[in-house]
Amino acid sequence: MTASRDELATLLGLLSDESSPSLNGLSETFHRNFPKHDHFKLFCALAFLLEQPDLLPGIPERIGALFLLYDSHKNDSMSLNPFASVFAKILEAPVHSQAKPTNVQYSLSACERHFLTLLLTSTPKDLLKTSAKQIEIEYNKAPPAPLPAPDLHKALAEQVRDAPNLNPQVSAVIACPDIVADPNEREGTIGCAAEIVAATAPNGAGDVGLRLEPAIDRPAPPIFACLDVEGIWISPTETTHELLWDPSMCVDNSQGAEVRSLMKKACKASLAMSQQQFVLTQIDADPKLVYHIGLTPQKLPDLVENNPLIAIEVLLRLMSSNQITEYFSILVNMDMSLHSMEVVNRLTTAVDLPTEFVHLYISNCISTCETIKDKYMQNRLVRLVCVSCSR
């Protein structure tokens, strides 16, 4: 994630705002305008602009950029600051004596170099209470004595030796040697900087630094020598191949389709005896066929009422299914009839049904008998229930 054109324009606008009373005020304004997760990409953009000083309009903007980079990791040691290498390159670059920046990378004025030296050494508290513009004015009135730069360079070099390198690639931005930026044309310089930084990505989200990363050549690994004791598959030697025939290919599955068609009819009407016998024969021949004939727990009551014999054989072969409990629940809760009692009776004699299902079915049958007003039909059903329970 890199700085967009709008974000960079806003950041450069903050650096150019002369109404900021102090450097600390600049830091507070920066934190108010940008969320924390966007800070690092904006600091990277500032580091790139300091590499090309003519992309910043004037000394106050470059002083503000130096301060924000320093302030971003002021509580960390210099060896942990990802921008320590930028500070080192600025101190090693030649000093430019004019207010206008040169085309030499990291070449800043004596005022900016002096400010950076103070930040990295003593950092007076009064310095941070002063604005960047005021620092430039005070320096021009009475330039202070230069600080011991060689000693500072040596100490900083030792600190940044193990620091993370922010930009290990080669910069793809080359300054024009015949053109020097005019600090009075701030808007044009800001627009140029925003365009360059955001030039490489769509929708204004560019790759900060426009850097050319060289390809790293890696030698090809040596060929592994396969020994006799290792897997022969590493270096196969067979030159002939055998075809393996799939016996399930081209097998006629029309009978399975016919059984599914008959089961669909069996849930709507009674099948002829020959059709019932065909279904039962196919189920006996292939025990797994019951899982592919289209029967669901919701269709079970229709199958029981229309073809109870098929329902019995199918349920017996579904005993190992994980849905058998759902089938039992549908069966014992369906309306009481001669066919439903026949199916339940046959199942109780063939397998051990769960006791709770048997009790629930008997209870439902008794409740059904109590609701029948026709005495003849009621007596008949009661006798059927008693016979069924006695089995």
Side-chain angles (χ1 to χ4, degrees):
M1 188 65 182
T2 52
S4 66
R5 183 181 291 106
D6 294 338
E7 290 174 332
L8 189 60
T10 302
L11 176 60
L12 295 179
L14 295 179
L15 296 177
S16 303
D17 187 7
E18 297 182 358
S19 63
S20 179
S22 64
L23 294 175
N24 286 332
L26 173 64
S27 177
E28 294 175 359
T29 305
F30 175 84
H31 285 83
R32 284 198 306 269
N33 281 270
F34 301 103
K36 189 173 182 180
H37 59 80
D38 289 338
H39 287 182
F40 184 74
K41 66 179 181 181
L42 295 172
F43 294 145
C44 291
L46 291 179
F48 166 70
L49 295 178
L50 288 171
E51 179 182 347
Q52 308 287 340
D54 56 339
L55 292 179
L56 287 172
I59 291 179
E61 285 79 1
R62 293 190 289 273
I63 289 178
L66 289 172
F67 170 72
L68 288 178
L69 293 186
Y70 166 81
D71 187 67
S72 65
H73 292 78
K74 62 182 178 181
N75 296 324
D76 299 330
S77 63
M78 191 57 62
S79 61
L80 299 178
N81 192 327
F83 307 104
S85 60
V86 177
F87 300 150
K89 292 176 182 178
I90 290 175
L91 295 177
E92 294 172 356
V95 178
H96 186 58
S97 59
Q98 301 177 4
K100 298 179 181 181
T102 66
N103 293 320
V104 180
Q105 289 186 338
Y106 299 106
S107 178
L108 303 182
S109 65
C111 175
E112 299 159 67
R113 286 276 298 272
H114 183 79
F115 171 75
L116 177 60
T117 306
L118 289 177
L119 284 180
L120 300 179
T121 54
S122 58
T123 315
K125 294 183 179 181
D126 295 338
L127 180 68
L128 304 183
K129 297 179 181 180
T130 309
S131 66
K133 184 65 176 178
Q134 188 64 30
I135 291 175
E136 179 189 11
I137 295 174
E138 294 296 332
Y139 184 89
N140 293 332
K141 286 182 178 179
L147 296 175
D151 296 339
L152 178 61
H153 294 172
K154 182 178 179 181
L156 185 60
E158 293 178 354
Q159 292 177 353
V160 302
R161 183 179 295 112
D162 299 326
N165 194 350
L166 182 65
N167 293 320
Q169 301 90 6
V170 179
S171 176
V173 178
I174 302 176
C176 181
D178 300 327
I179 299 177
V180 178
D182 187 355
N184 296 321
E185 298 182 358
R186 294 177 179 273
E187 294 184 2
T189 304
I190 291 175
C192 179
E195 290 292 336
I196 291 177
V197 173
T200 58
N203 301 324
D207 184 10
V208 173
L210 303 178
R211 301 196 169 272
L212 300 177
E213 184 176 0
I216 300 177
D217 292 333
R218 297 177 176 86
I223 298 177
F224 180 75
C226 180
L227 304 179
D228 295 338
V229 296
E230 296 173 342
I232 191 63
W233 58 268
I234 297 179
S235 180
T237 57
E238 296 181 0
T239 57
T240 59
H241 306 279
E242 295 182 359
L243 295 177
L244 296 179
W245 181 258
D246 185 0
S248 63
M249 293 176 60
C250 303
V251 174
D252 184 14
N253 58 357
S254 59
Q255 292 182 346
E258 187 175 356
V259 172
R260 286 191 294 271
S261 177
L262 290 175
M263 285 295 299
K264 188 175 181 180
K265 296 179 181 179
C267 294
K268 298 179 180 180
S270 298
L271 298 180
M273 186 59 65
S274 59
Q275 292 175 326
Q276 292 187 32
Q277 190 62 37
F278 175 79
V279 172
L280 296 177
T281 302
Q282 295 300 319
I283 292 177
D284 289 335
D286 185 3
K288 294 183 179 181
L289 184 61
V290 293
Y291 298 101
H292 309 286
I293 57 178
L295 179 65
T296 63
Q298 290 74 23
K299 296 179 180 179
L300 181 61
D302 295 332
L303 181 63
V304 169
E305 291 299 328
N306 293 299
N307 295 275
L309 295 179
I310 296 178
I312 293 170
E313 296 300 325
V314 170
L315 288 175
L316 288 176
R317 285 159 179 78
L318 287 174
M319 292 300 297
S320 59
S321 171
N322 55 5
Q323 286 186 304
I324 191 61
T325 302
E326 189 174 355
Y327 282 105
F328 284 160
S329 179
I330 295 292
L331 179 62
V332 300
N333 285 287
M334 64 180 293
D335 294 338
M336 175 186 173
S337 66
L338 180 61
H339 287 171
S340 66
M341 287 192 296
E342 180 183 359
V343 172
V344 173
N345 289 336
R346 289 283 299 275
L347 289 176
T348 54
T349 57
V351 295
D352 292 332
L353 293 179
T355 306
E356 59 271 18
F357 286 118
V358 177
H359 291 173
L360 179 59
Y361 181 74
I362 295 175
S363 176
N364 291 340
C365 290
I366 294 174
S367 299
T368 302
C369 293
E370 291 176 347
T371 58
I372 296 176
K373 296 180 179 181
D374 189 341
K375 293 296 183 182
Y376 173 78
M377 184 61 64
Q378 185 183 49
N379 292 334
R380 184 180 178 185
L381 290 179
V382 168
R383 285 196 296 269
L384 289 174
V385 172
C386 294
V387 172
S388 300
C389 294
S390 63
R391 293 182 182 179

